[in-house]
Amino acid sequence: MVRHVKDLDPTLMDEFSAGIRGEIIHPEDEAYDETRKVYNGMIDKRPALFVKCVDVADVIYTVNFCRENNLLLAVRGGGHNAGGLGLCDDGVVLDLSGIKYVRVNVEDNTVRVGGGNLWGEVDHGTHPFGLAVPAGIISTTGVGGLTLGGGVGHLSRKYGLTIDNLLEADMVLADGSFVTVNEKQHEDLFWAIRGGGGNFGIVTSFKFQGHPVKTVFGGPTLWPIEKTDEIMTWYHEFIHQAPDELNGFAATMIIPGPPFPEHLHGKQFCAVVWCYVGDMSKAKAVFEPVLALNPLFEHLGEMPYPAIQTMFDGLLTPGMQWYWRADFFDELGPEARSQHLKFGSSIPTPLSQMHLYPISGAAGRVGKEATPWAYRNAKYAGVIVGIETNPANNNTIIKWCKDYWEALHPYSLGGAYSNFMMDEGQERVKASYRYNYDKLTKIKKKYDPTNFFRVNQNIQPAS
């Protein structure tokens, strides 16, 4: 039976506090309300305690304390999770933000990263070495959450998902033990964390393979929303035949304002946001087919890789209201395209949008059971996001997202990328892991038989 922190003997709390090097924050503390904020301003949870860990010992001590006293535990890295799974009501939040470092090994181009790092910090640490680790498209995203769920982004077609570049991880398990997992140590656990989320333990350190990426050529291209059918038909044929060095995700969106030109503000568009990581001398030739479609607006050019990773940070700032729905897709057929046109023409707020991230090239060549990420045969990871600054408009963005999703879902493959899911129930979790789910439940039973780590897209231990 789960207990509440306030019901514990004060002596226990005093002993626990004395053993933690990091900061402990209680509801009555001045910093509490600021500390409980996460990226999604729609999340309003009230934990009983925050433990801001600064080292692995703090993590072990907190895990043991919560397990021994039957306290609910949530684990927060970057706090970017759409459903607010880095928080919990009335339980303990183990905050990893104090465990940060980026160490590049120039001999083999590997990168060690702390469990609390954000991707922008990783890019800052690797860019001077001419390296990058495949990640997402927003630099404020946490390394831990994005990695453990899969990691789709600008480099996916060239270098695979983030999990395809994970070489090793240090973890604290539910029993408080510390392990290093890789292809030769705890191979089953290493398999499980490459897509299985935070179900199996707390990762305090990641080791990634870095890749030679210094400069990229890319940016957005926009067409009037009325051209959605034409552009998506062309895009579907083009992107999966393109060289691996070229990535581009399709979108329906509104231009909200600066830095875009004023004549575009408030108008709906079908868009593709590009990132090319090949030979820069060939970039203009690569983009000739794109420009032949006469985009109404394009801002394509050469830039440092961290620039494209931060391109949307200024628009998609922390603390706004977010609502997400997602699916995997194999096709962009006429029925689906008509729904993209319909809902792309009725986007309710300036920042709400839909993205289709291509799963092809290197990401699509990994075996469907090589990692828990079961949709290697999909062509797209799709996500619909309602975004608003005013909580009073939440019902509007939620309805638009749900309606858009329900219209597209019949044309989907049935599951969703877990990093794009909110709290949608156990059947959706199962659908998202497909034939890998049963294996995950067995590994869960081995390493977390009591489901101690359950504030996540939960994989329940095999019965």
Side-chain angles (χ1 to χ4, degrees), residues 380-448:
Y380 307 100
V383 63
I384 303 158
V385 288
I387 310 172
E388 174 53 58
T389 56
N390 185 356
N393 293 330
N394 281 356
N395 287 340
T396 301
I397 61 173
I398 290 172
K399 184 179 188 306
W400 176 76
C401 276
K402 286 183 174 180
D403 289 349
Y404 200 160
W405 181 85
E406 287 171 4
L408 282 176
H409 187 61
Y411 314 109
S412 76
L413 293 174
Y417 173 32
S418 62
N419 282 353
F420 289 160
M421 288 170 60
M422 297 186 79
D423 186 8
E424 298 171 33
Q426 198 63 31
E427 290 307 310
R428 281 286 280 164
V429 175
K430 289 181 180 178
S432 296
Y433 290 112
R434 281 171 146 177
Y435 30 73
N436 290 324
Y437 186 77
D438 285 347
K439 182 177 178 180
L440 287 166
T441 66
K442 292 171 184 173
I443 298 171
K444 176 76 168 179
K445 183 178 181 180
K446 178 179 176 181
Y447 290 99
D448 185 14

Side-chain angles (χ1 to χ4, degrees), residues 52-53 68 153:
K52 304 190 82 171
C53 300
E68 291 164 3

Side-chain angles (χ1 to χ4, degrees), residues 66-79:
C66 290
R67 186 190 65 254
E68 291 164 3
N69 292 287
N70 296 318
L71 302 173
L72 182 65
L73 179 71
V75 181
R76 184 169 71 179

Side-chain angles (χ1 to χ4, degrees), residues 250-330:
T252 55
M253 61 185 294
I254 291 177
I255 295 303
F260 291 91
E262 189 173 350
H263 70 277
L264 303 177
H265 295 180
K267 295 179 181 177
Q268 292 99 346
F269 292 93
C270 177
V272 183
V273 180
W274 304 96
C275 179
Y276 171 71
V277 296
D279 184 343
M280 290 297 116
S281 68
K282 299 178 181 178
K284 290 187 177 179
V286 168
F287 281 94
E288 280 181 6
V290 179
L291 297 177
L293 287 163
N294 297 314
L296 183 65
F297 174 82
E298 59 87 3
H299 190 68
L300 297 169
E302 195 171 327
M303 67 187 85
Y305 175 70
I308 202 163
Q309 286 293 91
T310 58
M311 184 173 287
F312 303 107
D313 287 8
L315 294 174
L316 303 178
T317 54
M320 294 189 290
Q321 311 292 301
W322 287 73
Y323 188 83
W324 301 51
R325 296 305 292 266
D327 267 322
F328 284 110
F329 299 92
D330 190 38

Side-chain angles (χ1 to χ4, degrees), residues 17 224 254 342 435 452:
S17 300
I254 291 177
K342 175 183 176 181
Y435 30 73
F452 177 69

